[in-house]
Amino acid sequence: MADKAARVLVVGATGELGRLAVHEFLGRGVRLALAGRDRGGLADLAATTGCPTRVLDAYDLDTCTASGPWALSALGGLDGVLVTIGVAGFGPAATVPNAAAEHLMTVNALCPMAVLRGAVPVVRDGGFLAAVTGAIVNTPLTGTADYAASKAALACWLGVLAREVRTRRVAVMDARLPHMDTGFASRAVVGSPPPLQRGTDPATCVRDLLGDLLGHLDGPARGRTAPAPQRRPSKPWASSPD
């Protein structure tokens, strides 16, 4: 933004992608409010960055929904929200325990939906609402039925939300990032990942994504609308149609 620092809520700030996003945002002069489940990690971020923080439990959906209004109050305005939380799970559909399936759907879909739902009324016109889904939405592998379904549910929800907020020029971005070298798959809540090729550099993916998010803030502010998504986008995320 040309006249003042952008104000952004990062949810999942204590995770691998979240921390990368925090430092990249701060390096670009963005003011941040941070939410995550790791109380100690949030305390460290608060001490090193000075950003306001909020502990968030994915199963407490009301608290998730309240995160946007909290960030609005903490920052004095809200230009965008980025949700980076997620968890992996693997195994044939017939063998994944119901508890694990519920956990995948709650963390990967219901929690991000609740966060963004609460942010819709408070994010400024011309702002952005973004969440990381993943390339698994496009190419679900055998043994990832519940994991892929949870991410696909979020992707579908984001697509509908994009149409609902288009008159406000709010960009809804579904970040279908590729497999990255973060150790994410090795921390699965159930099962073991299939053989995977070497992942891409997460810092590069995050840097490119944030560049597009912040670039959108200037475009609509000057009367331009976000570009319509392409069927085969050059970057692994889709934006809301104009």
Side-chain angles (χ1 to χ4, degrees):
M1 299 175 69
D3 57 342
K4 61 181 179 179
R7 297 159 295 188
V8 174
L9 166 64
V10 177
V11 177
T14 57
E16 180 81 13
L17 293 183
R19 286 182 178 273
L20 287 172
V22 167
H23 293 297
E24 182 69 22
F25 271 134
L26 291 175
R28 295 175 185 237
V30 177
R31 294 177 56 205
L32 297 178
L34 310 177
R37 69 179 180 85
D38 184 344
R39 190 179 299 271
L42 284 175
D44 290 342
L45 283 172
T48 57
T49 68
C51 297
T53 61
R54 176 183 178 91
V55 176
L56 184 147
D57 181 346
Y59 277 81
D60 186 349
L61 298 181
D62 288 338
T63 297
C64 294
T65 301
S67 296
W70 164 77
L72 174 73
S73 176
L75 298 174
L78 189 62
D79 299 297
V81 180
L82 173 61
V83 182
T84 66
I85 65 171
V87 64
F90 305 100
T95 67
V96 172
N98 288 329
E102 179 187 24
H103 186 70
L104 289 166
M105 191 62 69
T106 300
V107 175
N108 291 341
L110 297 181
C111 172
M113 291 176 192
V115 170
L116 296 177
R117 190 191 326 278
V120 169
V122 297
V123 71
R124 75 163 174 86
D125 290 359
F128 66 80
L129 300 170
V132 175
T133 56
I136 193 169
V137 173
N138 298 328
T139 54
L141 303 173
T142 301
T144 67
D146 290 274
Y147 176 34
S150 65
K151 290 294 191 176
L154 176 58
C156 177
W157 189 89
L158 291 169
V160 176
L161 176 64
R163 300 199 301 272
E164 294 177 350
V165 299
R166 73 173 72 185
T167 58
R168 294 176 50 202
R169 306 185 312 279
V170 174
V172 176
M173 294 198 180
D174 169 1
R176 298 186 187 181
L177 301 183
H179 170 57
M180 296 170 286
D181 284 328
T182 63
F184 176 73
S186 66
R187 298 190 293 273
V189 296
V190 63
S192 299
L196 298 170
Q197 294 182 343
R198 181 179 178 84
T200 58
D201 175 29
T204 299
C205 293
V206 170
R207 186 182 310 117
D208 289 346
L209 173 61
L210 269 54
D212 274 12
L213 293 176
L214 295 177
H216 170 79
L217 295 182
D218 280 332
R222 293 192 174 98
R224 300 196 301 273
T225 55
Q230 303 296 313
R231 288 186 179 275
R232 296 178 185 274
S234 59
K235 293 184 179 179
W237 48 83
S239 176
S240 60
D242 56 11

